[in-house]
């Protein structure tokens, strides 16, 4: 966490990208967690515009990832910075497996379905996840709003709102 801001400062204040690259390389050598690698990949892309190096760092982040939030954050970065929806889709499948096989906050299903809609544009998959949220007994008004906003399914949203009354 100390190296990336240092490299950013070197670029901003000294306009020395070569020195900043050396600092990023050092950060890559000592990074340990999935989040550290993800953060490093983000800053390499944002500061240097180097998609290939960022991709390599995201691969390391994915290998270190453990929990659903690690994977979900990596998928967000991959879509945002690399625009690689297929890689993100594979990672989201991992997230789905992790949330299906454990007890989680029921709202997580809605957030996850929202991600699938907003980042991947996959309304069919999102619909399946919203159905899982409904089965888990989530607050129906929240679910209805998300379904209306993301799927445009006013009928289903209305049914949920009516059931909530």
């Amino acid at each position: 966490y100390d190296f990336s801001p240092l490299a950013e400062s070197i670029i901003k204040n000294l306009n020395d990208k070569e020195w900043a690259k050396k600092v990023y390389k050092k950060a890559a050598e000592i990074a340990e967690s999935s989040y550290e690698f993800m953060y490093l990949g983000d800053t390499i892309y944002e500061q240097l515009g180097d998609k290939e190096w960022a991709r390599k760092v995201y691969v390391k982040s994915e290998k270190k990832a453990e929990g659903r939030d690690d994977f979900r954050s990596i998928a967000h970065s991959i879509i945002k910075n690399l625009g690689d929806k297929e890689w993100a889709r594979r990672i989201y499948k991992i997230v789905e497996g992790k949330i299906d096989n454990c007890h989680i906050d029921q709202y997580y299903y809605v957030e996850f379905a929202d991600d699938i809609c907003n980042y991947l544009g996959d309304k069919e998959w999102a619909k399946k996840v919203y159905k899982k949220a409904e089965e888990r007994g989530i607050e129906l008004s929240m679910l209805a709003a998300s379904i209306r906003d993301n799927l445009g399914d006013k009928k289903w949203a209305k049914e949920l709102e009516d059931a909530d009354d």
Side-chain angles (χ1 to χ4, degrees):
Y1 297 111
D2 294 333
F3 286 92
S4 290
L6 174 60
E8 291 172 30
S9 181
I10 290 169
I11 291 169
K12 180 181 175 186
N13 297 313
L14 303 175
N15 198 29
D16 190 340
K17 288 189 176 184
E18 291 307 312
W19 185 11
K21 285 179 185 179
K22 291 176 185 175
V23 173
Y24 284 132
K25 285 179 183 176
K26 182 65 177 170
E29 290 173 11
I30 63 170
E32 295 177 358
S33 73
S34 174
Y35 184 79
E36 288 171 335
F37 280 110
M38 185 196 64
Y39 178 73
L40 180 61
D42 290 347
T43 57
I44 287 170
Y45 173 75
E46 292 164 4
Q47 297 299 313
L48 301 175
D50 191 331
K51 281 188 170 185
E52 286 310 307
W53 190 7
R55 180 179 299 279
K56 290 175 184 174
V57 175
Y58 290 141
V59 167
K60 291 179 182 180
S61 179
E62 185 180 0
K63 287 179 181 176
K64 294 281 188 175
E66 295 176 6
R68 65 182 190 256
D69 292 330
D70 288 346
F71 286 104
R72 193 169 159 214
S73 295
I74 295 164
H76 292 169
S77 287
I78 289 169
I79 290 171
K80 177 184 166 205
N81 295 325
L82 305 180
D84 190 335
K85 288 187 176 183
E86 289 310 309
W87 185 8
R89 179 181 301 281
R90 287 192 305 271
I91 293 173
Y92 278 136
K93 287 289 185 186
I94 295 168
V95 173
E96 185 175 39
K98 289 188 173 295
I99 64 175
D100 284 346
N101 294 319
C102 68
H103 177 71
I104 62 160
D105 178 349
Q106 64 215 29
Y107 299 106
Y108 198 88
Y109 275 100
V110 174
E111 293 171 0
F112 181 58
D114 292 349
D115 286 353
I116 293 168
C117 275
N118 297 323
Y119 293 112
L120 297 179
D122 189 335
K123 291 186 176 188
E124 288 305 311
W125 184 12
K127 187 174 183 177
K128 291 175 186 175
V129 177
Y130 284 129
K131 285 184 188 258
K132 290 178 186 179
E134 183 179 9
E135 292 166 7
R136 294 268 177 142
I138 190 168
E139 178 187 323
L140 296 179
S141 62
M142 177 189 172
L143 179 59
S146 192
I147 288 169
R148 185 187 313 65
D149 293 346
N150 292 306
L151 297 181
D153 191 332
K154 294 176 183 173
K155 182 181 175 190
W156 186 13
K158 177 82 170 111
E159 289 171 4
L160 292 170
E161 288 171 339
D162 290 347
D164 198 31
D165 291 337

